[in-house]
Amino acid sequence: MIPGKHIPVLLSEVVDGLNLKSGSVVIDATVDGGGHAMEILKKLGQEGKLIGLDWDLSMIEKLRSELSGEGRVKLFHSNFSEMEKVAGPFRPDAILFDLGLSSLQLLASGRGFSFKSEDGLGMTFDFNQKPNAEEFIRTANVKDLEEVIRKYGEERFAGRIARAIERYRAKKRIASAKELAEVISRVVPRRGRINPATRTFQSLRIYLNHELENIEIGLTGAWKIIKPEGRIAVISYHSLEDRIIKNFFKEKAKSEEGKLINKKPIIPGREEILKNPRSRSAKLRIIEKI
Ligand SMILES: C[S@@+](CC[C@H](N)C(=O)[O-])C[C@H]1O[C@@H](n2cnc3c(N)ncnc32)[C@H](O)[C@@H]1O
């Protein structure tokens, strides 16, 4: 079951920034519940096409049933690292990546993405992705746990957290995300309203889903297939991702293969953050292929 609603982030900035025209072919590499996709479709006219990818099969199935009568849309259960293969002969005019996790996934039961989740500790976008968080937390040695939490969560209490996990699991298997969040909260001081497990959860998600590698491969593939004068827009939500995107775009601009549409990342205004707190860390970068 997928309850709730996901509010698309920087919606008008993305749609305007992609420079869409009637008849454009667009790839939404992270289509999820279709928040951006629905708005993109409004700009494409009857001749346009939208190819939507998501690594989470439940998202693709949900959207397929909602858009069953929409002939302009093709949806694929795929990692965006496979984009070249999925696009086949299509050469898109625009590609969007809206990285990370959606509110729909956070609220969905059995996924283990949320601190409150009592029915699972998966944390992978694709159910078949191995190991999942439960397996990793159960089997990794304490040094590897510490390294993942430090490297991908930039968590200064990584050592303390890894040791707390080791002590706890010697007595009992950590079976849910809620249980893991409780183990962490006992050894990490609370920082304001932010949950003490935030950085650890982020690190596990990035590591288990190979998120940083996927971005590199996804951007490289997107660059190969995008048409000249086509645009790529990427929304990221933390600094490790943003650094990869910034460097990739910078290199393309330096070699005069691409033109940066915005020198500094576009970020949400106060009003958007108030309406949708999840948008607070978003950064949008756009590049045009020359
Ligand atoms: C923030 S949501 C996108 C929300 C969407 N733009 C909207 O407004 O409805 C990110 C989506 O990317 C998907 N995702 C994450 N990594 C992926 C990957 N490597 N390949 C394809 N989809 C991925 C997730 O499953 C999730 O559905």
Side-chain angles (χ1 to χ4, degrees), residues 6-9 28-37 53-56 59 78-81 96 98-102 105 125 211 214 237 278:
H6 175 83
I7 305 171
V9 172
D28 185 338
T30 52
V31 69
D32 190 70
H36 287 103
L53 273 54
D54 206 290
W55 202 14
D56 184 338
M59 289 301 152
S78 169
N79 191 316
F80 55 60
S81 62
L96 168 65
D98 178 17
L99 299 170
L101 188 70
S102 78
Q105 292 166 319
F125 292 116
E211 290 187 30
N214 287 336
Y237 296 87
R278 197 192 159 267

Side-chain angles (χ1 to χ4, degrees), residues 121-187:
L121 182 56
M123 289 198 191
T124 58
F125 292 116
D126 187 302
F127 276 114
N128 299 320
Q129 179 71 10
K130 293 281 170 201
N132 68 18
E134 189 279 325
E135 291 156 345
F136 180 66
I137 293 283
R138 177 161 46 83
T139 57
N141 69 45
V142 71
K143 274 273 149 252
D144 290 346
L145 273 173
E146 177 178 347
E147 197 190 317
V148 164
I149 299 169
R150 175 160 300 121
K151 183 167 172 196
Y152 299 114
E154 298 178 310
E155 170 62 88
R156 64 193 167 105
F157 299 110
R160 235 194 247 188
I161 295 169
R163 288 190 298 277
I165 290 172
E166 194 187 32
R167 279 195 303 275
Y168 189 92
R169 74 182 180 186
K171 288 178 251 147
K172 184 183 174 308
R173 180 174 76 94
I174 301 179
S176 74
K178 185 169 180 230
E179 205 172 349
L180 176 62
E182 283 168 1
V183 171
I184 296 165
S185 70
R186 282 184 214 128
V187 293

Side-chain angles (χ1 to χ4, degrees), residues 5-254:
K5 195 173 171 341
H6 175 83
I7 305 171
V9 172
L10 292 167
L11 183 58
S12 58
E13 291 84 349
V14 164
V15 173
D16 294 346
L18 284 175
N19 196 23
L20 303 170
K21 303 198 174 62
S22 179
S24 289
V25 175
V26 180
I27 295 186
D28 185 338
T30 52
V31 69
D32 190 70
H36 287 103
M38 300 296 185
E39 206 57 30
I40 288 172
L41 277 171
K42 291 183 191 161
K43 300 272 178 186
L44 301 189
Q46 278 320 303
E47 300 308 311
K49 243 186 199 350
L50 185 125
I51 299 169
L53 273 54
D54 206 290
W55 202 14
D56 184 338
L57 180 60
S58 60
M59 289 301 152
I60 291 293
E61 284 174 342
K62 179 177 185 292
L63 201 56
R64 260 193 201 133
S65 69
E66 285 169 13
L67 292 179
S68 58
E70 179 51 90
R72 298 173 298 169
V73 177
K74 274 197 181 336
L75 297 172
F76 296 91
H77 172 223
S78 169
N79 191 316
F80 55 60
S81 62
E82 306 272 328
M83 186 182 302
E84 269 182 274
K85 212 163 43 182
V86 174
F90 286 112
R91 289 291 162 262
D93 301 283
I95 300 177
L96 168 65
F97 294 82
D98 178 17
L99 299 170
L101 188 70
S102 78
S103 311
L104 297 174
Q105 292 166 319
L106 195 65
L107 296 170
S109 61
R111 303 301 297 269
F113 284 123
S114 147
F115 307 123
K116 295 183 190 143
S117 178
E118 293 185 54
D119 57 355
L121 182 56
M123 289 198 191
T124 58
F125 292 116
D126 187 302
F127 276 114
N128 299 320
Q129 179 71 10
K130 293 281 170 201
N132 68 18
E134 189 279 325
E135 291 156 345
F136 180 66
I137 293 283
R138 177 161 46 83
T139 57
N141 69 45
V142 71
K143 274 273 149 252
D144 290 346
L145 273 173
E146 177 178 347
E147 197 190 317
V148 164
I149 299 169
R150 175 160 300 121
K151 183 167 172 196
Y152 299 114
E154 298 178 310
E155 170 62 88
R156 64 193 167 105
F157 299 110
R160 235 194 247 188
I161 295 169
R163 288 190 298 277
I165 290 172
E166 194 187 32
R167 279 195 303 275
Y168 189 92
R169 74 182 180 186
K171 288 178 251 147
K172 184 183 174 308
R173 180 174 76 94
I174 301 179
S176 74
K178 185 169 180 230
E179 205 172 349
L180 176 62
E182 283 168 1
V183 171
I184 296 165
S185 70
R186 282 184 214 128
V187 293
V188 175
R190 187 167 259 284
R191 291 165 268 212
R193 286 170 52 208
I194 308 288
N195 190 302
T198 302
R199 286 173 177 271
T200 306
F201 272 48
Q202 173 194 306
S203 71
L204 291 171
R205 227 194 55 213
I206 294 178
Y207 170 72
L208 296 166
N209 292 291
H210 305 286
E211 290 187 30
L212 303 182
E213 295 91 322
N214 287 336
I215 296 170
E216 291 259 19
I217 302 170
L219 283 175
T220 306
W223 193 258
K224 281 192 195 151
I225 62 174
I226 190 103
K227 277 186 198 158
E229 293 180 26
R231 291 192 179 181
I232 301 175
V234 191
I235 309 176
S236 65
Y237 296 87
H238 53 76
S239 57
L240 297 173
E241 289 173 339
D242 186 55
R243 199 175 306 149
I244 294 173
I245 300 146
K246 185 171 126 186
N247 290 340
F248 186 92
F249 283 14
K250 223 163 130 185
E251 265 178 35
K252 296 296 174 201
K254 206 169 143 202

